[in-house]
Every structure is written in C-alpha cells, then in structure tokens.
Amino acid sequence: MSNDREKLKALLLSEEIAQLKAIQQLLQDKQQLAQKISEVLDPAADLTIAENPEFQKKFSRIDPESYVQAVKTNKQTFIDALLPIIGPMIRKSVTSAIRRFVADVNRAVEMGISAKALRWRWQAFTTGVPFTEIVFNNTIEYQVQQVFLIDNHSGMLIEFAGHEDDLLQDKEAMSAMLTAIQDFVKDAVSKDGEGLSAAELGDDLVWLIHGNQANLAAVIKGAPTARLRDTMTESLESLHLEQHRQLVDESRWNNNPALKNELEKLLLTKDQSSDDETKSGVNFWPWIIGLTALLAWLLWSGYQRRQVQNAVTEQLQSTPGFVLQSLQHDGDQFIATGLQDPLARLPELDHPVVINSTPYLSLADEVIGHRVSQWLNTPGVKVSVNDQQVTLTGEHDKVADWPAKLQLIGMMPGVQQLHDQTTESHVFELAAFLQQHPAPHQLVVAETDQGFVLTGLSTPQALAEFSQLLVSHGDIDPTAVTTVNPTAVVDQINQTPLLFSSISRLGPSQQQQLAELAQSLAHLQAVGAVPALTLRAQSDCQGSIEESNENNQRRLQLVYDELKALGVDVDDIELDNVPCSTTTETIDLSRIGVWFEVTL
Amino acid sequence: MKSKKVCMIGRFAVGKTSLVDRFVKNHFSEKYQTTVGVAIATKIIDDHTKFIIWDIAGFEQENHYKPYLRGAHGIIYVVDATEPASLSTLEEIVADAPELKDLPSVCFINKADLTDDINWTEASNEQVAQFSQHSYWTSAKTGDNVEDAFLALSKHLS
Ligand SMILES: Nc1nc2c(ncn2[C@@H]2O[C@H](COP(=O)(O)OP(=O)(O)OP(=O)(O)O)[C@@H](O)[C@H]2O)c(=O)[nH]1
Ligand SMILES: [Mg+2]
C-alpha cells in the first residue's frame, strides 16, 4: 500500500521532488546560498529603500564609541583630513555672520532714537532677549510666495510649492525661463562665476540658490533679509543630502510629497502687522531732529545757495544716463561726482558745474534709444523706447543687412523686446547709396530728373566701376568728368620739355606751360597717385662749360620757383644739372631748357 | 503628467515662433518680431504629457544656444521651404552638436502655403533625412499640419 503510494508519488511528482531537493541543498550550502542572494541583494535594497526610507538608516548606523576612540588616539590625521573641507565652510559662515551683524547694527543705530526703539530696549532689558534680536523680529517685512526646485541641467521643474494662481506664467514655464536667463547670464556676463543669484520680476524678487543637481528659486514680496538666503541654502543642502535619489530620478519629479513638504517649509511670512504703532502713523522723532538740523543749516548757509544746488541736483538727477552721487560746492562752482553713460546728454546747466564722472552703461529708455540709433546709423529709421521696449518706425534701406541688425539690437543690454515696424525703402536714396559705396577720388554725383550727372575727377577705371554700381538705379551722364589716366599724364609730362634760353625770367608761353604742368601734377594727386618730380636742366654747351653749367643752375631755379609759386605740392622735387663735358660751336635752342621726369 | 522639454531649432525667420503661436494659441501674425535669447511656452498634449517648448532665437554663427539644449527630450527642426539657406543652417547645427541626432525629432518644412516660392527638391528630402527621420510640410499661416506634426513628436517621445 505505502509502496504503491510512493510509486504514485514518484510518478506524479518526480520532477517537483527533484526541484525540492535541489532547493534544500541550496539552503544548506552556505557558499551557494550567498552567491544566489548576492544576485538580488542590490535591486532588493533599492526597492526596500524606496518603500521605506527609514531602512537605509539601519545600514548607516554607526558606533559613536569607536569613532571617539579613533579621534582620541589619532587626532592629527583627522585634523589633516577634515581641514580642507571644514576650513572654507567656517570662513564662509563667519563672513556671512559678520555681514548679518553689520546689517543688524545698522538697523539698530537707525532705530536708536525713536520712541519705538526705546520701547524695544525696555523689552530687551526686561525679557533678557538681545536687542538686535528684537529689532530684527520687528523690522523685516517679506513673504515667500512660491518656491521652485529646478533641475539645473535641463531647466525642468522638479517640485513646486506655493500659490500657482499668482504666477505670471505656469510653473513649468517659469522654471524653464529662470534657467534660460541663468544660462544667458552665465554665458554673457560671468563666464566662470555662479551666474544669476537674484532677479526682479515686476514688484517681486526672485532669489536663486545654486546646488549641484538642482537649483532653488523663491519668489519673494517685500524686502527679505540675508537670513532668508541662509535658510534657503540650508534647505537646498539638506535636499541634496537626504533626497538625492529623488532629485536625479526624472520619473519621481512633480508631486513628490517628500520634496514638496520640504519646500513648503520655506513659504514663510514676516510682517509688521502686529506692530500697532506702525498703523497709528508717523514717528515724530526723526522729524524733530531733521527739522532742527535743517534750521541750523539754513541759518548757516543761506537759503539762496540751497536753491541753486537743488536746481542743479534736480537737473542732473533727471538726466537719463547720469547717476548723481554727490554735488559739492567749490568756490563759485559745483563739483558733481557720479556715473555717466558716454551717450548721456547733459542739459545746459543753470550754474557752472565740473562733472567728475565714472563711465557706466545706463539702461534708461532714452539712453537705450541713443545707443540703438547711433549704432543703426540709418537716417530714415526712428527709434523710440518705452519701458525697455524698442520700437523702430520709418523706412530702412534696402541694401542693409536688416535682419542681422535687428538680431544684434536684440542683444544690446537693456533691450527687453524689439518691435520692428519699419518698411523697406523702395525709393532710391542717393545719400544712403553713397554711404555704402563712396564715390572714388573727386567724383561728384548729382541726381536729376534724367538720372545722375557725374562731375569732378576720376581715373577711367574707377569711373567705370562706380558707374557699374550706380547704373541699376538710373541713367548716368559722365561727360563732365575729367578722366585722368595716370600713365598717360606722366608720359605727356616726361615728353614735353620746357625749352628756353633766358636765365633771368620766364616768358608768358613758358609760364603757361608750367601752369599746365602744375595742373597735371594736381590731377595725379587727386586720383591718388604720389608723383616724384625731377627737373633736369640741359644746354647746348655752346661757349664755356662753366658758363653753361651756371646757366643751367639758374634756369633750374627759375622753374623751381615758378612751380612753387603755382602751388605745386609735390613732396620731393629733385634738381638735376646735366653738366657739359665738351663745348660745341653752334647754338642749338632745342637743347636748352629744363626737362621733366615724373615717376609714380 | 510628465513634462517634456522640446527645443525649436532653425535659422532666423523660418517661423519657429509662429509655429509655437499657432500650436499654443491658435494665432498667426504676418509681422516679424525676432526672438531674443529664448521664449518659453507650455502646452498640455494629453493626460500624460505636457510640452515645455523652448523657442530658441534664430541660429546664427555663434553657438550661444548650446546651454539651452541641455536635457531636451525632443527636437523640432524648422526649415523654410522657400529658403534653401535655412536647410544648410540646420546641417551646420547638427554638425556642431552631433549629440542632437540621438534625440527623437521631427522636421517641419514650413511656409508650405507660399506655393509659388517653394524651392525644394528630392535632394532636400535626403538632406533632411540625415538628421531627422520624420518630416512634415507645415504652414503656421493656414495652420495646416501644425498640430499633427507636434503630436507626432509626442508619440516618438514615449
Ligand atoms: N506665409 C507664411 N509666413 C510665415 C509662416 N510662418 C512664419 N511666417 C512669417 O515669417 C516671419 C518670421 O516668423 P517667426 O515665427 O517670427 O520666425 P522665427 O523663426 O521665430 O525667427 P527668429 O525668432 O528671428 O529666430 C513672420 O513674418 C511670419 O509671419 C508660414 O507658414 N507661412
Ligand atoms: Mg522667433
């Protein structure tokens, strides 16, 4: 019977029995078991931690006793290892503590004499809370409205807290936009710095804290104190430390309670509404002190002077592109110090003022307007700027590379938006054409009903090239142009000697010839040639050698003086006396005179 | 709902901003207002997907645009069917940032309504195929195909 059962069992379950045996064996063989478990340990741990974050702490629990012991016996090693990490942190926190302290003291001093402050002092005295602490608690006024946690790589929103309805854009767009602005700032302004850390958004303030993986941005109403930045930094640090997994895993972004909870802690509000004195209105102390001081000042310096100073201050303060820092009397005049944009246009001032300014880049509408129009340099286009929105109207030239120009205007500092309402000019503008294609040499272009009339001077080649450009816009009449072909002119001069034998004066025909020479030289210069001139005196060598040479010299001088008198302005005129070697018997007038040699 | 970062890429004036306006606001304007830096728009595609569209200013010589592409999930290349230079611009961009080829993408061949000025050949199609597998003839002006092309990208994203 039992035998039959065994058989049946073996028949039905032989495979399963074999599997069970194998499992049993696996459970008993420690090494094999460890091998198997190690294969699933990693994913299993991930799963457990995901479901129960507390689990991880079990692994990281440490035995403090052993650490204490280690530090005690080996202090120096620990100091060496930790110093590079702790050092900068200590320095940073000391700096920010000092900055805070200074701000608090300033506030306290400001408040030091008001009735409110006296009451706070009393409160501090009676309660034992430090005075600065009380001042701090009573003066700050701000509200953190929204908090964004943003992946700093892609600009995608990781988590958000706050009222979504108050946002200008939806939260994803805001987060992308903040990242884009930050990339822009990093690229354009601070190549290796951290980039944007604060920005203004309408009346609100946006603060950005940079982290390794994610950035934290907060939209704040009112005037936050440095302490808020510390709180934000701490919060971002702890998010990186404790929630690192959630930060890097895109699938867990958006509506992650753990992250949202952390961000919500930052939505704090501080205001003075509890302070009834603010509601009741004015605090008279500063007024009384101010009025007394003003009275004393008036007695001392006289009302009139003040009047002038006010007027000048007002004039300077209302000048776009000028930031007045101080205005001081110096004898009869004022010395104004401040920042000045090179494009700022200072008004006629009522009183002599010496401006002592440092250049800066102004983003005032008017100055942006000057900058854009100066850069465009297009007479037909009118630039108007309102609230950093630039509008271009009028006509722009057809030849200019207009879209590229617009692109560049868009990148100018201060230009928020560009509205191009210009139309492309279909009318040919001679002035604009000449600005792009200046006429060569001394060519003058006039526009008439029939086309263009050219006058003045030019080489034939330059005239042809220029006409080629102009001809598409109308007929050209070049008949009045004096064309100057430099090589022909030079040949002409070199082949025409001035023949004369007198050594005391030049006759009318010689004067005429020299006047023509002077004009030819002027033409050469007008078309850009730089002539060098040699005057070469020769004679027929009749009579004595000495006499001939002396006469040559005189003729040279006569010609030279005449040319100078005609206003020839050639850099070097060389005088060359060709001496006679032998004398001749016959007079030969065609060999007496001055020859010219022009080289270019 | 998952957010997807999508970047619009192309030469200036090809119609990137117009396509986004048509898709998001169903609105078109003849007037050309160049984009400065980048403009962001969002649109819910369906229950699972929301597009964060980065409309990047026209791509010219500089590569200021690179930081804006980081972490993108998909790319929309835009080319102007009437302007062959706009296709070369895309080729230059992809040559400059080859990692773009690994991302899901579609190519919009825009201004299809300007039938008289179209300057497009079989070779142009092959050039497009070098950087994007899917292309659509679109017109921001008439709205033709615009929504379909955006939705096609969302299919390739999942
Ligand atoms: N006919 C026609 N015109 C279009 C179409 N799409 C855009 N345009 C026009 O093309 C011009 C440029 O369009 P935008 O959308 O501003 O071009 P963009 O690519 O954003 O340009 P940038 O911002 O400078 O890079 C505008 O005048 C539009 O009206 C289209 O499908 N058909
Ligand atoms: Mg655009």
Side-chain angles (χ1 to χ4, degrees):
Chain A
M1 180 72 189
S2 100
N3 211 359
D4 283 350
R5 224 184 75 196
E6 283 304 317
K7 256 188 203 156
L8 188 62
K9 221 162 97 182
L11 270 175
L12 287 174
L13 300 170
S14 66
E15 218 171 296
E16 285 77 359
I17 289 169
Q19 274 170 359
L20 270 175
K21 274 217 179 99
I23 291 170
Q24 236 161 11
Q25 205 169 354
L26 174 70
L27 288 174
Q28 274 156 10
D29 184 339
K30 279 208 177 104
Q31 200 170 347
Q32 223 184 329
L33 184 63
Q35 166 75 29
K36 271 277 176 242
I37 290 179
S38 77
E39 282 166 20
V40 294
L41 200 52
D42 192 30
D46 279 352
L47 255 176
T48 319
I49 291 168
E51 276 156 21
N52 174 20
E54 288 297 307
F55 180 71
Q56 190 167 24
K57 293 193 181 148
K58 292 186 182 151
F59 285 96
S60 41
R61 194 171 291 154
I62 48 167
D63 173 9
E65 195 50 41
S66 63
Y67 271 80
V68 172
Q69 206 54 42
V71 173
K72 268 188 189 153
T73 50
N74 213 347
K75 259 187 205 142
Q76 195 53 44
T77 319
F78 270 80
I79 291 172
D80 289 347
L82 288 180
L83 205 58
I85 306 166
I86 292 181
M89 272 158 59
I90 293 176
R91 262 198 305 282
K92 208 167 151 188
S93 89
V94 168
T95 327
S96 87
I98 288 177
R99 207 177 292 145
R100 258 198 325 264
F101 176 68
V102 171
D104 289 346
V105 168
N106 283 344
R107 215 192 311 273
V109 170
E110 250 168 50
M111 293 290 165
I113 38 175
S114 71
K116 191 197 279 175
L118 289 178
R119 213 181 60 217
W120 289 344
R121 277 191 194 285
W122 176 250
Q123 198 182 340
F125 176 71
T126 49
T127 56
V129 177
F131 178 58
T132 48
E133 197 73 42
I134 293 176
V135 172
F136 175 75
N137 277 328
N138 283 288
T139 47
I140 49 166
E141 208 173 347
Y142 65 82
Q143 189 175 16
V144 178
Q145 303 216 298
Q146 290 97 11
V147 188
F148 299 78
L149 188 64
I150 304 168
D151 176 43
N152 66 9
H153 181 67
S154 64
M156 303 280 287
L157 184 65
I158 298 176
E159 197 49 68
F160 171 84
H163 283 292
E164 233 174 291
D165 312 339
D166 303 346
L167 284 175
L168 291 176
Q169 290 250 4
D170 77 9
K171 53 189 188 197
E172 274 93 353
M174 277 282 291
S175 130
M177 213 121 57
L178 285 170
T179 309
I181 296 172
Q182 196 182 322
D183 287 338
F184 182 77
V185 170
K186 242 189 239 169
D187 193 52
V189 191
S190 59
K191 277 269 179 290
D192 30 41
E194 286 213 304
L196 193 67
S197 64
E200 270 171 38
L201 193 79
D203 291 337
D204 297 346
L205 199 62
V206 180
W207 273 9
L208 278 155
I209 311 288
H210 303 270
N212 239 346
Q213 205 65 46
N215 295 340
L216 190 65
V219 179
I220 306 157
K221 260 204 191 333
T225 53
R227 245 175 256 263
L228 175 62
R229 195 170 269 283
D230 289 350
T231 318
M232 286 174 67
T233 311
E234 277 162 23
S235 174
L236 183 62
E237 271 165 8
S238 85
L239 282 173
H240 273 82
L241 278 176
E242 282 156 28
Q243 319 267 13
H244 188 260
R245 243 166 220 287
Q246 336 247 352
L247 291 187
V248 295
D249 184 356
E250 215 180 300
S251 67
R252 289 157 94 169
W253 293 353
N254 234 341
N255 283 327
N256 184 324
L259 292 176
K260 200 165 181 101
N261 205 11
E262 191 66 31
L263 295 189
E264 252 150 13
K265 287 187 203 153
L266 289 169
L267 293 174
L268 47 124
T269 302
K270 277 274 183 189
D271 59 38
Q272 294 188 324
S273 50
S274 59
D275 196 336
D276 42 14
E277 207 173 74
T278 326
K279 277 188 206 139
S280 77
V282 199
N283 173 5
F284 285 103
W285 280 88
W287 283 99
I288 294 166
I289 291 162
L291 282 175
T292 320
L294 187 68
L295 204 63
W297 192 85
L298 282 178
L299 287 173
W300 173 68
S301 71
Y303 180 70
Q304 208 51 41
R305 196 148 110 178
R306 167 105 179 157
Q307 205 73 331
V308 177
Q309 179 152 9
N310 276 350
V312 173
T313 308
E314 195 163 314
Q315 270 186 307
L316 288 174
Q317 277 173 346
S318 60
T319 305
F322 190 86
V323 179
L324 183 63
Q325 283 166 338
S326 74
L327 186 67
Q328 272 156 359
H329 258 291
D330 182 32
D332 248 4
Q333 59 185 17
F334 288 105
I335 296 182
T337 45
L339 305 173
Q340 184 178 3
D341 188 291
L343 292 176
R345 297 187 185 158
L346 289 179
E348 280 290 335
L349 293 167
D350 296 344
H351 198 83
V353 177
V354 178
I355 307 277
N356 199 347
S357 65
T358 316
Y360 89 112
L361 195 70
S362 164
L363 299 186
D365 284 349
E366 199 166 307
V367 181
I368 293 176
H370 293 327
R371 198 175 296 130
V372 172
S373 22
Q374 199 180 53
W375 183 81
L376 264 180
N377 190 21
T378 311
V381 173
K382 194 168 158 292
V383 180
S384 54
V385 186
N386 193 0
D387 237 349
Q388 309 205 326
Q389 312 242 346
V390 177
T391 309
L392 306 180
T393 48
E395 284 194 334
H396 69 260
D397 200 5
K398 204 161 152 182
V399 280
D401 189 358
W402 192 246
K405 277 194 173 175
L406 292 181
Q407 195 91 2
L408 275 169
I409 292 176
M411 291 182 171
M412 283 187 172
V415 177
Q416 292 266 352
Q417 226 173 22
L418 178 63
H419 306 285
D420 176 23
Q421 296 169 356
T422 56
T423 48
E424 196 171 82
S425 160
H426 293 291
V427 185
F428 173 74
E429 279 276 359
L430 183 60
F433 175 84
L434 287 178
Q435 205 171 33
Q436 269 214 324
H437 310 285
H441 311 311
Q442 297 192 340
L443 207 59
V444 179
V445 189
E447 203 175 1
T448 68
D449 291 344
Q450 278 75 43
F452 304 102
V453 176
L454 305 186
T455 52
L457 268 178
S458 171
T459 61
Q461 192 191 357
L463 175 64
E465 281 168 6
F466 181 69
S467 302
Q468 187 86 38
L469 290 174
L470 189 58
V471 77
S472 55
H473 303 287
D475 290 341
I476 298 174
D477 173 9
T479 45
V481 176
T482 313
T483 49
V484 178
N485 184 345
T487 46
V489 174
V490 168
D491 286 349
Q492 168 77 19
I493 295 174
N494 291 353
Q495 283 159 20
T496 322
L498 182 70
L499 301 177
F500 71 109
S501 53
S502 163
I503 53 168
S504 57
R505 56 179 206 87
L506 293 163
S509 68
Q510 280 112 32
Q511 279 172 339
Q512 170 66 26
Q513 195 185 328
L514 284 181
E516 279 163 20
L517 170 67
Q519 199 185 23
S520 298
L521 288 171
H523 283 177
L524 283 177
Q525 284 172 321
V527 299
V530 187
L533 176 62
T534 307
L535 307 182
R536 186 162 290 135
Q538 297 185 55
S539 69
D540 55 359
C541 299
Q542 192 266 338
S544 84
I545 291 183
E546 242 161 58
E547 197 184 351
S548 293
N549 290 348
E550 202 172 305
N551 291 347
N552 279 354
Q553 197 58 45
R554 289 204 179 159
R555 286 188 204 101
L556 272 180
Q557 198 58 48
L558 273 177
V559 173
Y560 181 80
D561 290 346
E562 178 70 13
L563 286 178
K564 279 289 162 190
L566 284 165
V568 168
D569 185 22
V570 172
D571 272 349
D572 55 330
I573 301 183
E574 208 176 303
L575 302 184
D576 182 15
N577 187 347
V578 182
C580 295
S581 43
T582 53
T583 50
T584 56
E585 293 299 314
T586 47
I587 295 176
D588 180 357
L589 286 179
S590 72
R591 289 182 52 201
I592 309 177
V594 174
W595 277 251
F596 304 101
E597 187 182 315
V598 173
T599 51
L600 292 178
Chain B
M1 175 135 54
K2 289 283 162 239
S3 300
K4 297 287 178 191
K5 173 170 173 178
V6 173
C7 294
M8 309 284 298
I9 294 184
R11 185 183 157 90
F12 68 86
V14 294
K16 300 179 292 299
T17 306
S18 304
L19 286 161
V20 175
D21 275 0
R22 170 61 77 193
F23 182 54
V24 175
K25 305 184 209 149
N26 197 16
H27 161 269
F28 176 79
S29 158
E30 288 285 356
K31 208 162 77 185
Y32 175 31
Q33 289 191 3
T34 186
T35 305
V36 177
V38 61
I40 312 279
T42 57
K43 167 118 176 168
I44 294 175
I45 303 292
D46 53 40
D47 290 349
H48 314 290
T49 316
K50 176 171 185 174
F51 269 4
I52 319 292
I53 306 173
W54 290 50
D55 170 17
I56 304 174
F59 285 65
E60 292 311 279
Q61 316 81 350
E62 254 89 358
N63 47 7
H64 290 308
Y65 57 85
K66 279 212 171 156
Y68 299 145
L69 301 176
R70 284 195 312 235
H73 296 101
I75 301 290
I76 291 175
Y77 298 101
V78 186
V79 59
D80 178 344
T82 68
E83 175 54 271
S86 63
L87 183 52
S88 327
T89 304
L90 286 181
E91 289 182 314
E92 281 157 28
I93 294 166
V94 178
D96 188 39
E99 65 275 14
L100 287 178
K101 283 199 193 175
D102 301 334
L103 291 173
S105 71
V106 297
C107 179
F108 288 19
I109 306 169
N110 194 37
K111 304 200 186 175
D113 55 300
L114 299 174
T115 40
D116 289 342
D117 301 327
I118 284 183
N119 194 340
W120 193 263
T121 61
E122 196 41 49
S124 313
N125 279 331
E126 278 159 26
Q127 277 168 281
V128 168
Q130 294 300 308
F131 51 83
S132 184
Q133 316 245 296
H134 313 277
S135 58
Y136 293 84
W137 283 83
T138 60
S139 164
K141 187 170 177 176
T142 63
D144 274 357
N145 248 346
V146 174
E147 190 163 9
D148 288 352
F150 272 101
L151 295 184
L153 178 66
S154 92
K155 300 243 164 55
H156 301 306
L157 285 189
S158 44

